[in-house]
Amino acid sequence: MSTKKQKPKSAPKAEKSEAVKPEQAEKKEIPEELLKPDAEVQPEGGVMTESLIMVRNLEKHYGELHALDGVSMNIEKGEVVVVIGPSGSGKSTFLRSLNLLEMPTSGELIFEGVNMLDKHVDINVHRQKMGMVFQHFNLFPHMTIMKNITIAPMKLLKKSRAEAEEKAHSLLKRVGLDDRAESYPSQLSGGQKQRIAIVRALCMEPDVMLFDEPTSALDPEMVGEVLDVMKSLAKEGMTMVVVTHEMGFAKEVADRVVFMADGKILETGSPEEMFSNPKTDKAKQFLASVLS
Amino acid sequence: MTVYAAKPFAEWAEDFKARFINDFITDNRWKFLWNGLGVTLKITAGALVIGVILGFLVAAIRATHDKTGKLRFLNALAKLYLTVIRGTPVVVQLLITYFVILAPLGVNEVLVAICAFGINSGAYVAEIVRAGIMSIDNGQFEAGRSLGFNYPQTMWFIILPQAFKNILPALCNEFIVLLKETSVSGYVALQDLTKGGDIIRGRTFDAFLPLIAVALIYLVIVLILTKLVSILERRLRSSEH
């Protein structure tokens, strides 16, 4: 919805986009500027507010490397989107640019109606609404589990200790780790750490959860316990964007599977479509190698 | 000066006692050491505070620049500070601080020394702290930011506590160096521990006992410091891992 002026898409800095202001008059001209011919999103989608996250022509360059090459996508409230693709396809970069851990080189990113790439937007406030779970858990080793979970709600949402700990306990019970509240991260197994990491993100009551290969660093026998937590989250209607190699999870839980390669979204579809009848050669190749 | 070992023991002991009394008891000369020790500790403690605050500040600026590319100007300033302080002798810095900058303003000598040594120590602390910050896995940083903490909050709540534990031995070393470096305070007419011993030498014309006493006092303080830090280290370690 940003009122973009006549700026070519190749403009070097994303910050050029102006503050978000609904302007019906400019509705028609936006899509033509923003969308490349090959973008698969409907132009009208770009100006409607229903989508929780709207991504338009996201580009990311690391020097020579073109990590994201015009990625566009809408993520609806309550939707579970699973992003798959070969390594180096840009799927992690895409996920990390949704909460601006990676700063896109150009493009548009609109979250809850706010243009996240606007210089005047306080990204920290919006990140509170986007929980993130990392491949390597990234729990804080110098804090107990309870402190890990409650520090952000207490410092950022200004919750009282009692309030934050109550919430933490109820979430810990849900993942079956309430008895580990006073342990330190180093005393937990990988699967337990990842469940705690999910709880830590949930305690901020986010509107969307981003998972960056949450089971890739786990021993095989611990993958299930983490996926179970994620499945129950999905059932409750949490909006989730998941980068994963767990095709079983994708089949079972995803509303939509997105296949990325070479920094582009090559294919989007329901899990049935994607796994039984991939359209592109790259997707066929990839799925053949991971499903065999 | 007499060579002690060349004499029979009784005579040697007698001689030693006489020297000891002459060096430390007569005219309450031990007070030179006692008061000097007070000055040394005052300077060290004051410089420590300034050094740590300055060091963490400079390190935060440098690390922020390294990580985000922001704070260009402050980073350049910090680099200049590090270059100048680490590139010149502390005695020269002390003399300049005293005679060029602060003496004309009539500032108290102890304060001058605290400033000079604090600013000097800050440069070394800064590089130690910066190394500590850079040693923390970037994932910790990303985890903090993804929860919604801003940069300073992430530093304060997540990075610095972990970095501090890693750099404690190096910091302790820096404090020991600082304590010993203050022994040049005599250059600006301060009667610190070293100067105190030297004054006694000037009065009694006996160099051995006063200077050995001074050395022993430094040694004891350093041993105490080392012990304290190892206790602190053990405590920090037992709180996790």
Side-chain angles (χ1 to χ4, degrees):
Chain A
M1 327 191 53
S2 92
T3 60
K4 271 223 147 193
K5 298 285 146 59
Q6 301 291 358
K7 229 151 222 148
K9 241 2 266 171
S10 53
K13 288 287 175 226
E15 289 94 71
K16 294 278 153 59
S17 36
E18 266 106 62
V20 188
K21 259 180 207 132
E23 291 223 8
Q24 299 297 329
E26 297 196 31
K27 207 173 187 177
K28 267 175 235 143
E29 74 177 83
I30 295 163
E32 281 140 32
E33 303 167 15
L34 295 186
L35 294 177
K36 283 180 172 176
D38 63 348
E40 63 259 82
V41 190
Q42 291 306 303
E44 287 81 359
V47 286
M48 294 202 297
T49 43
E50 286 101 301
S51 294
L52 187 65
I53 303 176
M54 291 188 279
V55 181
R56 289 290 170 278
N57 275 306
L58 220 54
E59 301 264 344
K60 174 74 184 180
H61 299 263
Y62 295 107
E64 287 292 287
L65 184 72
H66 206 161
L68 289 180
D69 186 0
V71 174
S72 298
M73 180 197 282
N74 282 5
I75 295 161
E76 310 298 333
K77 206 159 172 28
E79 198 181 20
V80 177
V81 176
V82 172
V83 184
I84 59 173
S87 64
S89 58
K91 52 193 194 306
S92 272
T93 309
F94 168 66
L95 189 80
R96 290 158 54 82
S97 49
L98 289 181
N99 69 353
L100 300 192
L101 282 185
E102 301 287 352
M103 204 60 186
T105 315
S106 69
E108 286 222 324
L109 172 62
I110 297 175
F111 173 59
E112 299 185 325
V114 178
N115 181 357
M116 302 274 275
L117 298 177
D118 189 317
K119 254 196 297 202
H120 307 291
V121 166
D122 180 5
I123 179 63
N124 299 308
V125 174
H126 298 289
R127 279 195 182 128
Q128 294 173 12
K129 294 273 135 209
M130 305 177 115
M132 182 145 193
V133 175
F134 299 86
Q135 182 177 359
H136 295 287
F137 332 126
N138 298 350
L139 294 180
F140 307 132
H142 60 301
M143 299 177 186
T144 61
I145 298 307
M146 183 49 81
K147 190 88 193 295
N148 260 281
I149 299 170
T150 54
I151 183 166
M154 282 171 65
K155 302 285 181 199
L156 297 172
L157 304 181
K158 305 291 175 205
K159 285 194 180 180
S160 70
R161 175 181 296 275
E163 207 182 338
E165 292 196 346
E166 193 192 317
K167 171 102 182 150
H169 277 302
S170 76
L171 286 167
L172 281 172
K173 278 194 193 103
R174 238 185 79 174
V175 302
L177 289 172
D178 200 28
D179 55 328
R180 307 311 300 267
E182 295 313 313
S183 306
Y184 282 90
S186 58
Q187 297 163 322
L188 303 185
S189 73
Q192 290 174 326
K193 279 185 202 167
Q194 196 59 300
R195 284 185 279 159
I196 296 298
I198 293 172
V199 168
R200 179 175 69 179
L202 285 177
C203 214
M204 289 295 284
E205 295 167 354
D207 294 335
V208 58
M209 287 283 284
L210 312 175
F211 292 86
D212 189 4
E213 305 205 21
T215 57
S216 299
L218 296 177
D219 290 336
E221 77 269 22
M222 291 169 180
V223 170
E225 63 194 55
V226 172
L227 290 182
D228 285 344
V229 172
M230 291 169 63
K231 282 174 198 167
S232 82
L233 257 185
K235 279 201 194 95
E236 277 169 28
M238 173 62 77
T239 312
M240 293 164 63
V241 185
V242 186
V243 170
T244 187
H245 293 292
E246 294 294 329
M247 298 302 150
F249 175 82
K251 274 182 193 162
E252 191 183 333
V253 182
D255 295 310
R256 197 149 47 111
V257 179
V258 172
F259 176 77
M260 285 186 75
D262 306 323
K264 295 189 187 79
I265 293 180
L266 291 191
E267 242 184 286
T268 308
S270 68
E272 298 81 47
E273 282 170 355
M274 182 67 80
F275 290 112
S276 58
N277 186 22
K279 286 171 226 117
T280 54
D281 285 342
K282 280 205 169 137
K284 278 178 196 156
Q285 238 171 31
F286 173 74
L287 287 171
S289 68
V290 292
L291 292 177
S292 60
Chain B
M1 204 175 122
T2 342
V3 181
Y4 294 107
K7 296 176 186 170
F9 180 74
E11 202 182 319
W12 178 85
E14 203 51 38
D15 184 52
F16 182 87
K17 194 177 153 200
R19 274 161 188 280
F20 187 89
I21 289 172
N22 188 36
D23 283 335
F24 300 121
I25 313 292
T26 314
D27 293 343
N28 278 336
R29 287 188 180 130
W30 58 272
K31 277 196 166 169
F32 286 113
L33 295 185
W34 178 248
N35 295 339
L37 177 62
V39 172
T40 291
L41 292 180
K42 245 189 257 170
I43 296 173
T44 308
L48 196 80
V49 173
I50 294 182
V52 166
I53 293 173
L54 202 59
F56 271 79
L57 218 67
V58 171
I61 291 169
R62 300 263 290 135
T64 303
H65 178 80
D66 288 355
K67 273 181 194 284
T68 66
K70 290 178 187 161
L71 304 181
R72 263 242 199 86
F73 176 72
L74 283 176
N75 183 58
L77 214 62
K79 261 182 161 167
L80 180 71
Y81 161 70
L82 294 178
T83 309
V84 169
I85 295 298
R86 296 198 299 172
T88 54
V90 65
V91 181
V92 177
Q93 291 165 22
L94 180 68
L95 290 171
I96 291 176
T97 317
Y98 184 59
F99 291 108
V100 181
I101 303 171
L102 292 178
L105 304 174
V107 179
N108 164 291
E109 289 97 342
V110 175
L111 226 59
V112 172
I114 287 176
C115 286
F117 287 113
I119 291 169
N120 178 271
S121 181
Y124 294 93
V125 172
E127 287 302 272
I128 293 171
V129 174
R130 188 170 75 99
I133 292 173
M134 299 315 265
S135 76
I136 302 300
D137 177 36
N138 206 36
Q140 290 291 311
F141 207 81
E142 292 185 340
R145 297 305 304 270
S146 77
L147 285 168
F149 285 114
N150 61 26
Y151 187 94
Q153 287 170 325
T154 307
M155 268 292 168
W156 186 251
F157 293 125
I158 294 158
I159 305 298
L160 285 181
Q162 297 182 59
F164 181 71
K165 200 171 44 170
N166 291 352
I167 61 177
L168 201 60
L171 271 183
C172 167
N173 197 40
E174 167 56 26
F175 298 158
I176 289 172
V177 169
L178 173 64
L179 171 80
K180 294 186 291 182
E181 259 179 1
T182 60
S183 61
V184 297
S185 302
Y187 273 96
V188 292
L190 265 171
Q191 297 196 6
D192 72 321
L193 179 57
T194 307
K195 187 73 182 173
D198 204 42
I199 290 174
I200 298 177
R201 183 187 62 79
R203 300 268 166 99
T204 63
F205 301 108
D206 179 23
F208 184 82
L209 278 182
L211 296 182
I212 291 295
V214 167
L216 279 176
I217 294 171
Y218 278 114
L219 184 64
V220 167
I221 301 174
V222 168
L223 288 178
I224 293 172
L225 267 181
T226 313
K227 184 73 192 162
L228 284 179
V229 171
S230 80
I231 291 172
L232 181 62
E233 240 176 285
R234 216 173 314 135
R235 232 186 248 157
L236 282 176
R237 217 177 311 135
S238 70
S239 78
E240 58 164 281
H241 296 323

PDB file of all heavy atoms in Angstrom, chain A residues 174-189:
ATOM      1  N   ARG A 174       2.864 -27.219  28.111  1.00  0.00           N
ATOM      2  CA  ARG A 174       2.393 -27.676  26.805  1.00  0.00           C
ATOM      3  C   ARG A 174       3.447 -28.470  26.060  1.00  0.00           C
ATOM      4  O   ARG A 174       3.137 -29.412  25.351  1.00  0.00           O
ATOM      5  CB  ARG A 174       2.025 -26.452  25.977  1.00  0.00           C
ATOM      6  CG  ARG A 174       0.607 -26.474  25.524  1.00  0.00           C
ATOM      7  CD  ARG A 174       0.349 -25.311  24.633  1.00  0.00           C
ATOM      8  NE  ARG A 174       0.846 -25.559  23.288  1.00  0.00           N
ATOM      9  CZ  ARG A 174       0.624 -24.728  22.293  1.00  0.00           C
ATOM     10  NH1 ARG A 174      -0.045 -23.619  22.498  1.00  0.00           N
ATOM     11  NH2 ARG A 174       1.064 -25.014  21.094  1.00  0.00           N
ATOM     12  N   VAL A 175       4.709 -28.066  26.191  1.00  0.00           N
ATOM     13  CA  VAL A 175       5.763 -28.803  25.492  1.00  0.00           C
ATOM     14  C   VAL A 175       6.403 -29.840  26.400  1.00  0.00           C
ATOM     15  O   VAL A 175       7.419 -30.443  26.051  1.00  0.00           O
ATOM     16  CB  VAL A 175       6.848 -27.849  24.928  1.00  0.00           C
ATOM     17  CG1 VAL A 175       6.229 -26.847  23.980  1.00  0.00           C
ATOM     18  CG2 VAL A 175       7.594 -27.142  26.040  1.00  0.00           C
ATOM     19  N   GLY A 176       5.827 -30.024  27.582  1.00  0.00           N
ATOM     20  CA  GLY A 176       6.276 -31.093  28.468  1.00  0.00           C
ATOM     21  C   GLY A 176       7.606 -30.834  29.139  1.00  0.00           C
ATOM     22  O   GLY A 176       8.343 -31.768  29.457  1.00  0.00           O
ATOM     23  N   LEU A 177       7.938 -29.565  29.370  1.00  0.00           N
ATOM     24  CA  LEU A 177       9.247 -29.271  29.966  1.00  0.00           C
ATOM     25  C   LEU A 177       9.138 -28.378  31.197  1.00  0.00           C
ATOM     26  O   LEU A 177      10.094 -27.697  31.557  1.00  0.00           O
ATOM     27  CB  LEU A 177      10.151 -28.595  28.921  1.00  0.00           C
ATOM     28  CG  LEU A 177      10.641 -29.490  27.790  1.00  0.00           C
ATOM     29  CD1 LEU A 177      11.341 -28.676  26.727  1.00  0.00           C
ATOM     30  CD2 LEU A 177      11.591 -30.559  28.331  1.00  0.00           C
ATOM     31  N   ASP A 178       7.984 -28.413  31.851  1.00  0.00           N
ATOM     32  CA  ASP A 178       7.797 -27.507  32.980  1.00  0.00           C
ATOM     33  C   ASP A 178       8.790 -27.789  34.106  1.00  0.00           C
ATOM     34  O   ASP A 178       9.170 -26.889  34.851  1.00  0.00           O
ATOM     35  CB  ASP A 178       6.367 -27.604  33.512  1.00  0.00           C
ATOM     36  CG  ASP A 178       5.990 -26.386  34.332  1.00  0.00           C
ATOM     37  OD1 ASP A 178       6.568 -25.302  34.065  1.00  0.00           O
ATOM     38  OD2 ASP A 178       5.154 -26.508  35.236  1.00  0.00           O
ATOM     39  N   ASP A 179       9.245 -29.038  34.193  1.00  0.00           N
ATOM     40  CA  ASP A 179      10.180 -29.381  35.283  1.00  0.00           C
ATOM     41  C   ASP A 179      11.589 -28.876  35.012  1.00  0.00           C
ATOM     42  O   ASP A 179      12.444 -28.957  35.882  1.00  0.00           O
ATOM     43  CB  ASP A 179      10.196 -30.904  35.487  1.00  0.00           C
ATOM     44  CG  ASP A 179      10.509 -31.645  34.195  1.00  0.00           C
ATOM     45  OD1 ASP A 179      10.120 -31.135  33.119  1.00  0.00           O
ATOM     46  OD2 ASP A 179      11.146 -32.709  34.258  1.00  0.00           O
ATOM     47  N   ARG A 180      11.854 -28.358  33.809  1.00  0.00           N
ATOM     48  CA  ARG A 180      13.214 -27.906  33.507  1.00  0.00           C
ATOM     49  C   ARG A 180      13.364 -26.393  33.623  1.00  0.00           C
ATOM     50  O   ARG A 180      14.379 -25.837  33.210  1.00  0.00           O
ATOM     51  CB  ARG A 180      13.618 -28.326  32.090  1.00  0.00           C
ATOM     52  CG  ARG A 180      13.456 -29.795  31.772  1.00  0.00           C
ATOM     53  CD  ARG A 180      14.059 -30.710  32.828  1.00  0.00           C
ATOM     54  NE  ARG A 180      15.496 -30.524  33.046  1.00  0.00           N
ATOM     55  CZ  ARG A 180      16.438 -31.217  32.417  1.00  0.00           C
ATOM     56  NH1 ARG A 180      16.112 -32.136  31.557  1.00  0.00           N
ATOM     57  NH2 ARG A 180      17.699 -31.012  32.685  1.00  0.00           N
ATOM     58  N   ALA A 181      12.386 -25.720  34.205  1.00  0.00           N
ATOM     59  CA  ALA A 181      12.386 -24.254  34.222  1.00  0.00           C
ATOM     60  C   ALA A 181      13.661 -23.661  34.832  1.00  0.00           C
ATOM     61  O   ALA A 181      14.152 -22.634  34.387  1.00  0.00           O
ATOM     62  CB  ALA A 181      11.163 -23.727  34.966  1.00  0.00           C
ATOM     63  N   GLU A 182      14.199 -24.329  35.849  1.00  0.00           N
ATOM     64  CA  GLU A 182      15.375 -23.761  36.509  1.00  0.00           C
ATOM     65  C   GLU A 182      16.688 -24.323  35.976  1.00  0.00           C
ATOM     66  O   GLU A 182      17.745 -24.063  36.518  1.00  0.00           O
ATOM     67  CB  GLU A 182      15.283 -23.955  38.028  1.00  0.00           C
ATOM     68  CG  GLU A 182      14.120 -23.194  38.668  1.00  0.00           C
ATOM     69  CD  GLU A 182      14.033 -21.735  38.201  1.00  0.00           C
ATOM     70  OE1 GLU A 182      15.063 -21.043  38.188  1.00  0.00           O
ATOM     71  OE2 GLU A 182      12.926 -21.306  37.817  1.00  0.00           O
ATOM     72  N   SER A 183      16.633 -25.169  34.944  1.00  0.00           N
ATOM     73  CA  SER A 183      17.866 -25.693  34.353  1.00  0.00           C
ATOM     74  C   SER A 183      18.509 -24.621  33.479  1.00  0.00           C
ATOM     75  O   SER A 183      17.893 -23.612  33.146  1.00  0.00           O
ATOM     76  CB  SER A 183      17.559 -26.906  33.480  1.00  0.00           C
ATOM     77  OG  SER A 183      16.843 -27.870  34.198  1.00  0.00           O
ATOM     78  N   TYR A 184      19.762 -24.890  33.113  1.00  0.00           N
ATOM     79  CA  TYR A 184      20.430 -24.052  32.118  1.00  0.00           C
ATOM     80  C   TYR A 184      20.396 -24.775  30.771  1.00  0.00           C
ATOM     81  O   TYR A 184      20.340 -26.010  30.733  1.00  0.00           O
ATOM     82  CB  TYR A 184      21.866 -23.762  32.550  1.00  0.00           C
ATOM     83  CG  TYR A 184      21.943 -22.690  33.605  1.00  0.00           C
ATOM     84  CD1 TYR A 184      21.884 -23.020  34.955  1.00  0.00           C
ATOM     85  CD2 TYR A 184      22.027 -21.355  33.242  1.00  0.00           C
ATOM     86  CE1 TYR A 184      21.925 -22.030  35.922  1.00  0.00           C
ATOM     87  CE2 TYR A 184      22.064 -20.364  34.205  1.00  0.00           C
ATOM     88  CZ  TYR A 184      22.024 -20.707  35.542  1.00  0.00           C
ATOM     89  OH  TYR A 184      22.061 -19.722  36.496  1.00  0.00           O
ATOM     90  N   PRO A 185      20.438 -24.017  29.679  1.00  0.00           N
ATOM     91  CA  PRO A 185      20.344 -24.645  28.354  1.00  0.00           C
ATOM     92  C   PRO A 185      21.319 -25.798  28.151  1.00  0.00           C
ATOM     93  O   PRO A 185      20.982 -26.799  27.522  1.00  0.00           O
ATOM     94  CB  PRO A 185      20.646 -23.492  27.402  1.00  0.00           C
ATOM     95  CG  PRO A 185      20.166 -22.288  28.127  1.00  0.00           C
ATOM     96  CD  PRO A 185      20.459 -22.550  29.577  1.00  0.00           C
ATOM     97  N   SER A 186      22.539 -25.669  28.709  1.00  0.00           N
ATOM     98  CA  SER A 186      23.543 -26.708  28.461  1.00  0.00           C
ATOM     99  C   SER A 186      23.150 -28.041  29.085  1.00  0.00           C
ATOM    100  O   SER A 186      23.741 -29.065  28.770  1.00  0.00           O
ATOM    101  CB  SER A 186      24.893 -26.261  29.012  1.00  0.00           C
ATOM    102  OG  SER A 186      24.786 -25.999  30.394  1.00  0.00           O
ATOM    103  N   GLN A 187      22.164 -28.010  29.981  1.00  0.00           N
ATOM    104  CA  GLN A 187      21.748 -29.258  30.622  1.00  0.00           C
ATOM    105  C   GLN A 187      20.644 -29.971  29.852  1.00  0.00           C
ATOM    106  O   GLN A 187      20.152 -31.005  30.283  1.00  0.00           O
ATOM    107  CB  GLN A 187      21.270 -28.962  32.059  1.00  0.00           C
ATOM    108  CG  GLN A 187      22.379 -28.391  32.923  1.00  0.00           C
ATOM    109  CD  GLN A 187      21.866 -27.726  34.187  1.00  0.00           C
ATOM    110  OE1 GLN A 187      20.828 -27.066  34.179  1.00  0.00           O
ATOM    111  NE2 GLN A 187      22.587 -27.898  35.280  1.00  0.00           N
ATOM    112  N   LEU A 188      20.242 -29.390  28.712  1.00  0.00           N
ATOM    113  CA  LEU A 188      19.135 -29.975  27.954  1.00  0.00           C
ATOM    114  C   LEU A 188      19.635 -30.652  26.675  1.00  0.00           C
ATOM    115  O   LEU A 188      20.708 -30.342  26.170  1.00  0.00           O
ATOM    116  CB  LEU A 188      18.135 -28.879  27.555  1.00  0.00           C
ATOM    117  CG  LEU A 188      17.518 -28.047  28.663  1.00  0.00           C
ATOM    118  CD1 LEU A 188      16.475 -27.120  28.074  1.00  0.00           C
ATOM    119  CD2 LEU A 188      16.907 -28.909  29.744  1.00  0.00           C
ATOM    120  N   SER A 189      18.816 -31.570  26.176  1.00  0.00           N
ATOM    121  CA  SER A 189      19.121 -32.180  24.876  1.00  0.00           C
ATOM    122  C   SER A 189      18.716 -31.221  23.760  1.00  0.00           C
ATOM    123  O   SER A 189      18.013 -30.239  24.003  1.00  0.00           O
ATOM    124  CB  SER A 189      18.351 -33.482  24.737  1.00  0.00           C
ATOM    125  OG  SER A 189      16.983 -33.202  24.528  1.00  0.00           O
TER     126      SER A 189
END
